[in-house]
């Protein structure tokens, strides 16, 4: 494809006036083959800025977890390299890398207190009891959990468990925290609370977080940099604003949602559904209203439109007040258009 891979730096860091943030993690032609055929991770290049919140995003099976596990040292690399602060860690054991992992639903030991959960990895390393308990207590204080150190996970709320899991990951003093779908098993309400808290802790600690998710909403809410993967390849790297406003490919426009992919005489484009203009007549493509869905702040219209290469489904998001002034009815024939700057060309 015709665009650059591996541009993990946010745009501010690329401008000549500001010094680039140092790179925490660099992946160089990183590849994982489980079997014959297309690799699960196919020679990806990526640089993740130090102190940033990076989300690896993509549909199930695209290679996110494999990438994260190769960074963590939980999966061998078929070829390529993983660098952490310029040190090649590709062949180091997980515990010697300077990374730590936080798993789905936090994976705390239910029979251990918060303190013993946090101290666990130091115990495995043979640290004396007094030392590991003092360090664990200190970390629990840092995440505002010191007063609940003697509780077991079952006696803690979801948010409190997340903080214990964070303290447990931090006790090895990692440079990078790796999170594999940490919120996916939570109910929607808790998930939104927990992601706000993750974001806050990342900023407060100033650590590099690499967070795997299949939810574009979660990635947009959390990330400084989004890395969108598909079939073991990186399709786009950018801030949530860049990826949402300028999806590089048809896959990304469809995966991110909120976009219409249209074939015009000039080529394939993406237009956000809130940037579509709708009118009873005038310029633009002819369409018929097939669906009207009230969404509170917005009304979402579904339409069957006359595309350059045939009829296609299109959605239009109208502010509630605009729809109230001029409602559209099922079966109504309309015309759709958009301002030129709102049409983004998609790579073939
Ligand atoms: P994601 O986390 O994006 O859902 P994964 O990295 O888990 O994707 O998987 C990428 C691809 O590699 C998938 O096709 C998956 O079936 C395959 N895969 C993952 N782990 C293994 C394994 N241990 N052995 C064989 N194939 C695997
Ligand atoms: Mg996964």
């Amino acid at each position: 494809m015709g665009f650059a891979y591996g541009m993990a730096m946010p745009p501010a860091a690329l401008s000549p006036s500001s010094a680039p943030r140092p790179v925490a993690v660099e992946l160089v032609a990183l590849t994982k083959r489980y079997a014959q055929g297309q690799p699960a991770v196919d020679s990806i290049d990526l640089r993740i800025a130090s102190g940033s919140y990076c989300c690896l995003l993509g549909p199930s099976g695209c290679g996110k977890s494999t990438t994260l596990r190769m960074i963590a040292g939980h999966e061998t690399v078929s070829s390529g390299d993983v660098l952490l602060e310029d040190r090649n860690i590709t062949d180091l054991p997980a515990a010697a890398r300077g990374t730590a992992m936080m798993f789905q639903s936090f994976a705390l030991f239910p029979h251990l207190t918060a303190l013993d959960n946090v101290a666990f990895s130091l115990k495995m390393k043979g640290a004396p009891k007094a030392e590991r308990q003092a360090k664990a207590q200190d970390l629990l204080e840092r995440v505002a959990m010191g007063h609940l150190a003697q509780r077991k996970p079952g006696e803690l709320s979801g948010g409190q468990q997340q903080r214990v899991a964070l303290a447990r990951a931090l006790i090895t003093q990692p440079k990078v925290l790796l999170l594999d779908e940490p919120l996916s098993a939570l109910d929607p309400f808790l998930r939104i609370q927990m992601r706000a808290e993750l974001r806050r802790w990342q900023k407060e600690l100033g650590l590099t977080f690499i967070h795997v998710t299949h939810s574009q909403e979660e990635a947009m809410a959390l990330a400084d940099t989004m890395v969108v993967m598909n079939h073991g390849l990186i399709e786009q790297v950018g801030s949530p604003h860049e990826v949402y406003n300028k999806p590089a490919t048809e896959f990304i426009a469809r995966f991110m949602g909120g976009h219409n992919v249209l074939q015009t005489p000039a080529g394939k484009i993406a237009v956000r559904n809130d940037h579509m203009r709708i009118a009873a007549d005038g310029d633009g493509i002819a369409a018929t209203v097939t669906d009207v869905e009230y969404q509170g702040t917005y009304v979402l219209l579904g339409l069957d439109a006359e595309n350059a290469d045939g009829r296609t489904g299109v959605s239009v998001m109208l502010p509630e007040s605009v729809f109230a002034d001029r409602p559209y009815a099922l079966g109504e024939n309309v015309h759709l258009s958009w301002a030129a700057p709102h049409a983004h060309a998609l790579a073939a």
Side-chain angles (χ1 to χ4, degrees):
M1 268 166 270
F3 48 86
Y5 291 149
M7 308 265 289
M9 293 294 208
L14 287 174
S15 72
S17 56
S18 66
R21 278 203 278 178
V23 173
V25 172
E26 182 166 4
L27 309 181
V28 184
L30 189 66
T31 301
K32 179 66 188 185
R33 269 174 209 286
Y34 290 110
Q36 291 298 334
Q38 210 212 349
V41 175
D42 193 356
S43 192
I44 61 171
D45 295 305
L46 180 65
R47 295 161 75 210
I48 298 170
S50 185
S52 67
Y53 205 123
C54 175
C55 284
L56 303 186
L57 172 68
S60 178
C62 72
K64 306 178 297 293
S65 293
T66 300
T67 302
L68 202 73
R69 290 205 304 268
M70 288 193 284
I71 298 171
H74 297 159
E75 189 68 73
T76 58
V77 163
S78 300
S79 60
D81 290 293
V82 180
L83 281 67
L84 199 155
E85 294 182 352
D86 290 331
R87 194 168 57 116
N88 195 323
I89 61 167
T90 315
D91 299 316
L92 291 184
R97 292 186 167 217
T99 59
M101 189 88 151
M102 201 161 125
F103 293 96
Q104 201 177 59
S105 305
F106 325 132
L108 296 171
F109 299 117
H111 57 290
L112 295 183
T113 62
L115 189 77
D116 288 339
N117 263 286
V118 175
F120 186 77
S121 67
L122 294 185
K123 185 176 182 180
M124 291 295 100
K125 285 184 176 173
K129 184 167 184 177
E131 180 195 320
R132 63 182 194 247
Q133 292 206 331
K135 278 195 177 160
Q137 185 66 39
D138 185 50
L139 269 169
L140 284 170
E141 307 284 349
R142 274 183 76 181
V143 296
M145 284 291 293
H147 61 301
L148 299 175
Q150 293 308 320
R151 293 245 186 117
K152 290 183 178 167
E155 299 159 349
L156 298 170
S157 74
Q160 291 166 337
Q161 289 181 38
Q162 175 164 277
R163 286 187 238 162
V164 174
L166 187 60
R168 186 178 61 174
L170 295 178
I171 201 152
T172 57
Q173 294 185 292
K175 298 191 167 84
V176 177
L177 186 64
L178 307 170
L179 308 98
D180 194 351
E181 309 253 9
L183 308 177
S184 64
L186 306 179
D187 69 66
F189 182 74
L190 192 55
R191 194 182 310 146
I192 288 168
Q193 264 189 332
M194 294 300 94
R195 82 179 181 212
E197 189 150 324
L198 274 183
R199 169 101 194 150
R200 190 161 62 78
W201 286 116
Q202 187 270 331
K203 291 295 162 232
E204 275 190 35
L205 297 161
L207 266 184
T208 309
F209 277 32
I210 308 178
H211 176 135
V212 160
T213 178
H214 62 273
S215 158
Q216 39 81 20
E217 183 196 314
E218 187 169 301
M220 286 201 288
L222 283 168
D224 297 309
T225 303
M226 283 168 56
V227 177
V228 192
M229 296 183 67
N230 189 25
H231 296 309
L233 296 167
I234 294 175
E235 290 229 355
Q236 190 169 7
V237 178
S239 67
H241 182 267
E242 287 168 329
V243 173
Y244 191 69
N245 282 283
K246 294 190 177 176
T249 62
E250 177 177 357
F251 162 76
I252 291 176
R254 294 196 190 281
F255 184 73
M256 294 304 292
H259 286 83
N260 293 302
V261 174
L262 298 164
Q263 184 72 48
T264 67
K268 190 163 269 194
I269 57 164
V271 184
R272 274 168 51 163
N273 59 17
D274 58 335
H275 286 154
M276 300 289 293
R277 289 186 196 135
I278 181 168
D281 46 30
D283 288 341
I285 55 179
T288 306
V289 178
T290 56
D291 197 35
V292 178
E293 195 174 90
Y294 182 67
Q295 297 194 341
T297 324
Y298 287 95
V299 176
L300 186 66
L301 302 180
L303 302 108
D304 184 34
E306 198 83 67
N307 207 18
D309 63 349
R311 298 194 76 84
T312 189
V314 169
S315 60
V316 176
M317 188 89 104
L318 294 178
E320 186 193 29
S321 58
V322 172
F323 185 83
D325 285 347
R326 196 330 185 166
Y328 290 90
L330 286 180
E332 191 169 343
N333 292 320
V334 296
H335 285 83
L336 300 175
S337 60
W338 50 87
H342 287 147
H344 296 289
L346 299 172

